[in-house]
Amino acid sequence: MKKIDILKKLRSSKLRPTKQRVEIAKFLFEREKTFHFTVESLNKLLIKKSTSKIALATIYNTVHAFKTAGHLSEVEVRGNKTYFDTNVSNHHHFYDSENSELIDIDANEIVIQKIPKAPNGKKIKNVEVFINLKN
Amino acid sequence: MKKIDILKKLRSSKLRPTKQRVEIAKFLFEREKTFHFTVESLNKLLIKKSTSKIALATIYNTVHAFKTAGHLSEVEVRGNKTYFDTNVSNHHHFYDSENSELIDIDANEIVIQKIPKAPNGKKIKNVEVFINLKN
DNA sequence: ATCTAGTTTATAATTATTCTAAAGTGAAAA
DNA sequence: TTTTCACTTTAGAATAATTATAAACTAGAT
């Protein structure tokens, strides 16, 4: 992803392209593969990569702004930290609790044959499958 | 579930049946239907129900002891609280984020036709399906 | 009845996250 | 281009869930 696309992505999300946001966006989206991270891990990586220090609160704000804008998805796994995923398409996950690692599973790699109806007046928003791993 | 079974359950789990543990166990397991709760909600309910006050730390300790002993299962949902479930059989969940409510889905109500292989030397521990609801 | 390891308790500590308020900065308008 | 101001960033405080601590208590073996 080129810089111009980063700026477009920010602007289209009504995020003013500030220095910090551009830096975070480049770090998150200028990569080939899906990237899974927690705010904590992202902060550590940004401290190493980036010249200027970015406040933790800014990382929280920006990551949540990207999530609201649909550029990141949130993945809940066992444990107390919140994971984010640069893959925002409908997909599933392996979760390896040995090393707290998430691995994407393409939506078409899992086929569900039978599914119950949503209860009383509710509708199904989406279906998430977690395949928990062991050694 | 009768009191004698509560005591058996505690002893078989190497949990000494203290007053507090018996009270918590009775509250959790002497019921017909599956019970979903957080430590916070359990604490509030116990304050109402129980004559003696039970320390929050004791509730944490006891709930985790029951979990380790296999009498409770832990369910992770979006949000920052940890839910527990008195249904310890293999099953799935509806999650209604509107009112943070979990609803059990029997294992045989969901049939998965196709599933990917576990990566590199890993094995599949279990598969959890979450059906997220909306109005 | 006594003793001891396991338990409960109040409180402190920790961890992830959000809030706050002051200082800084894009970018629209002059 | 300069001014202006709403939006941002920042450090640090506040909050919330959970875990650790250490002293007082208790179940159950002796």
Side-chain angles (χ1 to χ4, degrees), chain A residues 119-134:
Chain A
N120 55 296
K122 298 281 177 182
K123 287 182 176 173
I124 291 175
K125 186 162 65 185
N126 70 322
V127 178
E128 284 182 278
V129 178
F130 285 91
I131 302 181
N132 294 300
L133 298 174
K134 61 182 175 183

Side-chain angles (χ1 to χ4, degrees), chain B residues 89-110:
Chain B
S89 68
N90 180 36
H91 67 289
H92 307 287
H93 291 96
F94 284 116
Y95 181 59
D96 181 357
S97 58
E98 298 290 328
N99 49 13
S100 301
E101 191 188 4
L102 276 177
I103 301 164
D104 277 2
I105 300 172
D106 231 69
N108 59 29
E109 292 211 62
I110 292 183

Side-chain angles (χ1 to χ4, degrees), chain A residues 16 18 20-21 53 55 57-58:
Chain A
R16 198 185 274 182
T18 62
Q20 290 87 344
R21 284 175 178 166
K53 197 210 168 240
T58 300

Side-chain angles (χ1 to χ4, degrees), chain A residues 5-22:
Chain A
D5 295 326
I6 292 286
L7 294 180
K8 267 186 196 163
K9 175 172 277 194
L10 286 164
R11 287 219 185 79
S12 70
S13 322
K14 289 170 188 167
L15 293 172
R16 198 185 274 182
T18 62
K19 182 159 59 74
Q20 290 87 344
R21 284 175 178 166
V22 169

Side-chain angles (χ1 to χ4, degrees), chain A:
Chain A
M1 186 176 284
K2 290 173 197 119
K3 190 175 181 183
I4 183 67
D5 295 326
I6 292 286
L7 294 180
K8 267 186 196 163
K9 175 172 277 194
L10 286 164
R11 287 219 185 79
S12 70
S13 322
K14 289 170 188 167
L15 293 172
R16 198 185 274 182
T18 62
K19 182 159 59 74
Q20 290 87 344
R21 284 175 178 166
V22 169
E23 215 163 330
I24 294 171
K26 286 180 70 175
F27 188 80
L28 291 179
F29 303 120
E30 284 186 348
R31 47 180 79 228
E32 296 298 314
K33 282 196 271 182
T34 291
F35 180 44
H36 294 109
F37 62 96
T38 64
V39 171
E40 189 199 16
S41 70
L42 178 58
N43 185 38
K44 278 183 189 163
L45 291 167
L46 281 172
I47 287 170
K48 279 187 207 159
K49 270 273 179 180
S50 161
T51 45
S52 52
K53 197 210 168 240
I54 300 176
L56 193 57
T58 300
I59 297 176
Y60 272 99
N61 291 342
T62 307
V63 165
H64 282 130
F66 283 142
K67 186 200 155 192
T68 302
H71 296 310
L72 291 174
S73 64
E74 194 175 346
V75 186
E76 193 78 14
V77 296
R78 288 187 188 288
N80 42 351
K81 280 179 210 158
T82 301
Y83 284 73
F84 292 90
D85 189 342
T86 56
N87 181 351
V88 292
S89 67
N90 180 37
H91 66 289
H92 307 286
H93 291 98
F94 284 116
Y95 181 60
D96 182 356
S97 58
E98 297 292 327
N99 50 13
S100 301
E101 191 188 4
L102 275 177
I103 302 164
D104 278 1
I105 301 172
D106 231 67
N108 59 26
E109 293 212 61
I110 292 183
V111 177
I112 298 173
Q113 194 173 46
K114 185 185 172 190
I115 205 164
K117 284 197 189 71
N120 55 296
K122 298 281 177 182
K123 287 182 176 173
I124 291 175
K125 186 162 65 185
N126 70 322
V127 178
E128 284 182 278
V129 178
F130 285 91
I131 302 181
N132 294 300
L133 298 174
K134 61 182 175 183
N135 288 332

